[in-house]
Every structure is written in structure tokens, then in C-alpha cells.
Amino acid sequence: MEFSADQLASLVGGTVDGDPAARVSSFAKIEDAKNGDLAFLANPKYTPFIYSTKASIVLVRDDFRPEHRTDCTMIRVADPYDTLARLMRMADEMANPQPRGIEQPCFLGKGVEADDDCYIGAFSYVGDGATLGKGVKVYPQVYVGPGASIGDGTILYAGVKVYAGCKVGRNCILHAGAVVGADGFGFAPNAEGRYDKIPQMGIVELGDNVEVGANTCIDRATMGATRIGDGTKLDNLIQVAHNVEVGSDTVVAAQAGFAGSSKVGDHCMIGGQVGVAGHIAIGNRVGIGAQSGIHASLPDGQQVMGYPAVNARLFMRQVAAMKHLPDLISQYKKLVKK
């Protein structure tokens, strides 16, 4: 499908700067775009590409003022990145009709409640007493355990596993291979030096608008619930242990791990491969750099990096100082010898 600059501007509440009849039919990065593509400029370091891009239309900020002549038509908006995301969601909905109905073979247990407009793909299993809300989409080879509940508009992509009794909120997205509700890692040493399994009797509760990446695992609680708050986004390959609580609108990048009973606040940003020790609390609006190790609780608003994690600015100074360490050691040895 093609859209003109005028049409796009009316959709997103923007202002056209250039040819209102310019047309686009696909999306591209500003540095790779060609004629007929829609690109965007949000990061200032990509500004030079606005003068060389072949894109037909580029989304820019309201206050952007080019220093040189540009050949592309610009649409001025408050936030180009957010606007692009909205347009891509619209395009995706138009290009990919939503599946409906129940494919065969699949299994629906006794007392399953599923709204008429649900989709249940082939080879899926929905256990006794499970509840599927309005517009839920269960793609092939999904397992929904007995008594589990899936909220309105939620999508479970192929191979997702939601164990018995777990609760998934409304408008969530669980990507392929995600596991919600596997046993927490609970074992007690016995007198013979072996480990006895501690039954994991709790559940997992996901709030509304949560997204869980491919092959991410969220363990059920020993007692009570492991909780993920509304609007939180988890990347691929993340481990969330038993009784962890993650607040609302927090984002976590791939390969991070949260040990049992740790707590994370609202609006946090956690980088890839971060490790969080058990039984500690991270406040609201905390930023944690990639590969950091968190061994102690953090108050609200902290920005930390490193292992063990320290203030992000201090960490940068430490890294800069490390470059001089070999010379300093050499000088130290010379002084000692002298």
C-alpha cells in the first residue's frame, strides 16, 4: 500500500515540509533508504544522512532545521521514533490479517472458557478450567495449563508454555519458546549431602501490556506469586526466578538474570547480561548498564554500571584509569627498586 506525505501527516498529526504528494510504500533506515521509503531522524548523530538519503519522506522533530539543502520531503512531528512505531503498527495490522477460529488437531480440556473470537492453532493444548479472554490468539504448539487464565487481546506465539494456575493479563505478547510458571530453583540440602526438592506451590502473574521475549523463563513462586507489572517489556533469553517482583513499565535487555525474591521498581532500564542477586530491592527509575552485577539494594533514581556495580560516572573514570595501569605499575616498580 502507498501513502502520500499529506495522508501520513494527517494520520500522525504532523506537518509536511516539502512535496505533500510524495509517496512511500515501505520503511527503511535513513542511511539505507531508497526512493519510495519512509525513514526517520531521531538521533542527532544520524543528521548528516538527511542530506544524502534517497528516502522519499523522512520523519523529523518539529524543531529540526536543516543546515543544507535536502531532497526528501520531511514530516515534522513531536517524536519521530514514537511516530514511526505507530505507523509500523498500523502497517503491520493491515498487512497481516488476524487469524480466527479453532484449528485441528488441538485439545481443549473440560470447562475451558474461550471467547468466540479466539484463535487456537493446531497442536495446541488448553488444560481443564483454563480461561481465554476476548480476542486471545494461541498459535500452534502452545501449552496452557489447567486453571491458567489469559487476558483479552493477548498473543501466545508458537511454542509458548503457560503452566497451571498462572495468570497472564490483557494485551500481552509472549514470543516463541517463552515459559511462564516452570518450577523455581528450590532445593534444600539433607543430612546425606544431597538436595531435596522444595515444592513450588505458587504461580506467576503477568500484568497488562507485558511483552516477554523468545525463550525467556519466568519461574513460579515457592509460595504466593512471581509478579511482572503492567507495561513491562522483557527481551529474549531472560531468567526471572521464583518470587521475583518487577514493577510497571520497566525494560530489561537480553540475557539478564534475577535471582529469587529480588524486587525491581517501576520505570527501570536494565541492560543486557545484568545479574541481580537474590533478596535485594532496586528502586524506581534506576538505570543499570550492560553486564553489571548488582549485589546490594539500590535507591530510586540511581544510574550504575560495573561489577560490582557503582555509580555510572565513577565506573567510566575507573575504566579510563585502567588504561594507565600498566605504566603506573612499571613506574611503581622502578621507584621501589630505586
Side-chain angles (χ1 to χ4, degrees):
M1 297 179 67
E2 281 193 341
F3 292 90
S4 69
D6 250 355
Q7 290 172 323
L8 291 176
S10 65
L11 279 173
V12 300
T15 304
V16 177
D17 185 347
D19 180 8
R23 304 186 72 82
V24 292
S25 59
S26 57
F27 301 92
K29 296 185 292 185
I30 191 169
E31 64 270 33
D32 298 331
K34 58 186 183 301
N35 186 47
D37 287 341
L38 172 67
F40 75 105
L41 175 62
N43 189 328
K45 76 177 186 179
Y46 287 90
T47 300
F49 291 110
I50 194 75
Y51 308 113
S52 60
T53 186
K54 302 300 182 184
S56 296
I57 302 174
V58 179
L59 300 171
V60 299
R61 291 191 183 278
D62 287 327
D63 58 359
F64 175 70
R65 297 291 178 268
E67 297 178 356
H68 311 291
R69 179 179 175 276
T70 61
D71 293 327
C72 59
T73 292
M74 295 180 287
I75 298 178
R76 299 185 180 279
V77 294
D79 185 337
Y81 190 71
D82 179 66
T83 301
L84 181 77
R86 286 162 51 200
L87 289 171
M88 291 181 75
R89 285 194 296 270
M90 292 178 194
D92 183 62
E93 289 171 5
M94 289 186 285
N96 299 296
Q98 299 301 306
R100 292 180 183 274
I102 299 176
E103 297 176 352
Q104 295 299 337
C106 67
F107 176 84
L108 273 65
K110 297 177 182 177
V112 169
E113 295 182 19
D115 200 270
D116 290 341
D117 65 351
C118 284
Y119 164 68
I120 301 176
F123 301 102
S124 291
Y125 179 104
V126 182
D128 294 350
T131 302
L132 306 181
K134 184 177 180 179
V136 166
K137 292 176 176 56
V138 175
Y139 280 80
Q141 299 182 331
V142 165
Y143 171 84
V144 178
S149 65
I150 312 297
D152 297 349
T154 286
I155 300 171
L156 308 181
Y157 281 110
V160 166
K161 308 294 186 288
V162 179
Y163 280 48
C166 293
K167 300 177 181 179
V168 179
R170 295 172 297 175
N171 300 314
C172 295
I173 300 174
L174 277 62
H175 288 280
V179 179
V180 174
D183 280 358
F185 193 64
F187 300 90
N190 60 29
E192 289 77 34
R194 298 185 178 88
Y195 289 90
D196 295 327
K197 184 176 179 65
I198 301 172
Q200 305 294 291
M201 314 225 13
I203 60 170
V204 173
E205 294 180 352
L206 304 187
D208 298 338
N209 302 303
V210 171
E211 185 156 350
V212 179
N215 296 320
T216 282
C217 298
I218 306 172
D219 291 346
R220 68 195 309 112
T222 306
M223 293 174 282
T226 301
R227 294 186 174 91
I228 308 296
D230 294 348
T232 285
K233 315 298 183 187
L234 305 180
D235 198 356
N236 303 331
L237 296 168
I238 290 172
Q239 163 64 16
V240 180
H242 54 191
N243 292 96
V244 168
E245 294 183 13
V246 180
S248 300
D249 298 303
T250 284
V251 290
V252 185
Q255 298 183 356
F258 300 85
S261 298
S262 57
K263 291 179 172 54
V264 180
D266 302 334
H267 300 283
C268 294
M269 300 180 70
I270 299 175
Q273 297 186 338
V274 166
V276 177
H279 304 275
I280 65 172
I282 294 170
N284 299 322
R285 300 187 183 279
V286 171
I288 303 175
Q291 296 189 326
S292 295
I294 312 299
H295 295 277
S297 295
L298 296 172
D300 294 351
Q302 295 289 298
Q303 302 293 317
V304 300
M305 293 182 71
Y307 181 88
V310 296
N311 176 273
R313 289 182 179 275
L314 175 58
F315 175 76
M316 294 298 187
R317 291 171 58 195
Q318 290 175 346
V319 170
M322 285 289 289
K323 297 176 183 178
H324 303 290
L325 189 58
D327 290 338
L328 290 171
I329 291 174
S330 177
Q331 292 175 29
Y332 169 75
K333 288 180 177 178
K334 289 177 181 178
L335 288 170
V336 168
K337 185 176 180 180
K338 184 175 180 180

